[in-house]
Amino acid sequence: MEERMKKQMAFALEIDKVKNIFRQTHLSLRGRNENDAEHSWHMAVMAYLLKEYANEEVDIAKVMLMCLIHDIVEIDAGDTYAYDEEGLKTQKAREDAAKERIFSILPEEQKAEFTALFDEFEAYETAESRFVHAIDNLQPLMLNNSNDGSDWREHEVTAEQVYTRQRKTKLGSEKLFEITDAIIQDNIRKGNLK
């Protein structure tokens, strides 16, 4: 096998590890905890289905790839729960180190491509990255809502914390923020969010 293909195959095998990174979010209907691969796949399909609600025209292929790679760094960095204030303080440093190690497995130009795409997602400056963040916020919110807010109750999450996390959703999609707001308000009424 040629060297380029060896690197690509090594990366393909390495990213299989993302299936072992479990999130705080549970699958719908009170299923087990979701893993990062399931989260990313679900986001990519949702992005395609909901693309018409992006605030701006987006390159949907780029959006879907961004969805699929945005959590690969968690192979090394681990999943940081959205409401873990201590974990959030070190998240960027852990993810930057992971990005360098994992993407360095690839041939140089593919490393550059994936690094640039990951950095674009993190920077939140393009229509694509803003829309991916909107989907990244909506997906676990939707699952938690389907589980009657059990993850929020378990972690004693407040409505203010959820709104703080969701505040940028409207930058990617005003329409998806309307859905987000309705879900949050419903869970406040139900007592799932303090």
Side-chain angles (χ1 to χ4, degrees):
M1 191 181 333
E2 65 182 55
E3 190 60 29
R4 177 179 174 80
M5 186 175 282
K6 280 183 187 175
K7 290 179 176 184
Q8 291 166 325
M9 293 301 292
F11 180 80
L13 184 59
E14 181 67 19
I15 66 171
D16 183 68
K17 293 176 182 174
V18 84
K19 297 173 187 173
N20 294 310
I21 307 301
F22 286 89
R23 299 163 46 82
Q24 292 297 316
T25 307
H26 287 79
L27 300 176
S28 60
L29 306 174
R30 293 190 172 90
R32 63 167 168 75
N33 289 71
E34 152 185 79
N35 69 44
D36 273 352
E38 293 163 330
H39 166 66
S40 298
W41 162 82
H42 199 185
M43 279 180 59
V45 175
M46 286 176 65
Y48 186 82
L49 291 173
L50 302 172
K51 65 186 176 204
E52 66 196 82
Y53 305 114
N55 288 345
E56 304 167 73
E57 191 74 27
V58 293
D59 174 344
I60 196 59
K62 184 178 187 181
V63 164
M64 292 174 75
L65 184 56
M66 199 178 284
C67 288
L68 292 169
I69 72 158
H70 83 288
D71 276 346
I72 286 175
V73 295
E74 293 184 4
I75 291 168
D76 289 358
D79 177 59
T80 304
Y81 184 50
Y83 307 109
D84 174 4
E85 291 180 23
E86 284 305 307
L88 291 170
K89 291 176 184 176
T90 62
Q91 181 180 16
K92 180 170 177 15
R94 288 181 285 117
E95 290 186 352
D96 283 349
K99 172 183 67 174
E100 179 59 29
R101 184 195 73 78
I102 296 166
F103 292 158
S104 289
I105 296 169
L106 287 164
E108 201 54 44
E109 85 282 355
Q110 288 182 320
K111 173 193 176 185
E113 178 186 3
F114 275 48
T115 299
L117 197 59
F118 180 85
D119 290 346
E120 180 180 336
F121 169 74
E122 290 292 306
Y124 224 115
E125 294 173 349
T126 63
E128 287 80 12
S129 65
R130 288 188 292 269
F131 187 57
V132 172
H133 275 282
I135 298 293
D136 194 23
N137 287 342
L138 177 60
Q139 190 268 349
L141 184 98
M142 179 183 74
L143 290 181
N144 201 17
N145 185 57
S146 80
N147 290 314
D148 200 29
S150 62
D151 294 325
W152 289 321
R153 287 194 316 277
E154 178 185 336
H155 295 281
E156 299 180 351
V157 175
T158 67
E160 182 181 347
Q161 287 175 295
V162 178
Y163 272 120
T164 298
R165 176 157 176 82
Q166 297 286 339
R167 74 183 183 276
K168 290 185 177 178
T169 297
K170 66 175 75 174
L171 298 176
S173 174
E174 292 278 350
K175 196 69 170 167
L176 296 183
F177 183 76
E178 289 174 19
I179 294 168
T180 296
D181 186 46
I183 289 171
I184 295 169
Q185 289 299 314
D186 187 46
N187 279 276
I188 292 169
R189 279 191 297 278
K190 291 177 180 176
N192 297 328
L193 287 168
K194 298 177 182 184

